[in-house]
Amino acid sequence: YIISHTAPNDRRLIEKELLVAYHRALTAAEEGTELHDELKRYSFDDCWAAYVRGGAQRWVWLFCVLTTLCPDFVNQYFHDQLAAFLEDHSVTPATIGMPL
């Protein structure tokens, strides 16, 4: 939702803070468990890369689907949201990859 439903200027202001909180909660598994050890290896940089890569990959795919279902003004809105995200995170056709 942050890519599609948050104004780009607002997203820019809050996305890192939100992802820090998400990563902190994600890696807070109970100490001494197998999950704890695995999550401790999941760095914030890994989390950030997954956010950028996954968000871009999924939204490019979804945008293609939406264009067949939505009116032009809605497609333009989602285009602009996605374009701002891709530009802000330097995602290009050469770097995007396939959706996971």
Side-chain angles (χ1 to χ4, degrees):
Y1 288 114
I2 194 168
I3 295 172
S4 60
H5 288 71
T6 305
N9 286 335
D10 294 336
R11 177 187 44 78
R12 291 176 189 114
L13 293 173
I14 64 172
E15 72 184 341
K16 187 155 190 175
E17 180 182 340
L18 288 175
L19 219 52
V20 165
Y22 171 77
H23 181 259
R24 188 176 301 124
L26 182 66
T27 57
E30 188 173 329
E31 197 167 329
T33 65
E34 185 177 324
L35 186 58
H36 175 268
D37 295 340
E38 187 175 332
L39 286 173
K40 285 303 173 191
R41 291 189 297 271
Y42 189 63
S43 71
F44 177 77
D45 290 340
D46 294 335
C47 187
W48 183 264
Y51 161 71
V52 171
R53 182 185 62 247
Q57 291 168 344
R58 285 172 182 85
W59 260 101
V60 166
W61 177 86
L62 182 58
F63 181 70
C64 293
V65 173
L66 288 175
T67 60
T68 66
L69 303 172
C70 297
D72 289 345
F73 76 95
V74 173
N75 290 329
Q76 187 65 57
Y77 170 82
F78 285 127
H79 168 274
D80 295 348
Q81 294 291 100
L82 177 58
F85 183 85
L86 297 175
E87 184 176 324
D88 288 347
H89 296 288
S90 302
V91 178
T92 69
T95 64
I96 192 168
M98 295 298 292
L100 300 175

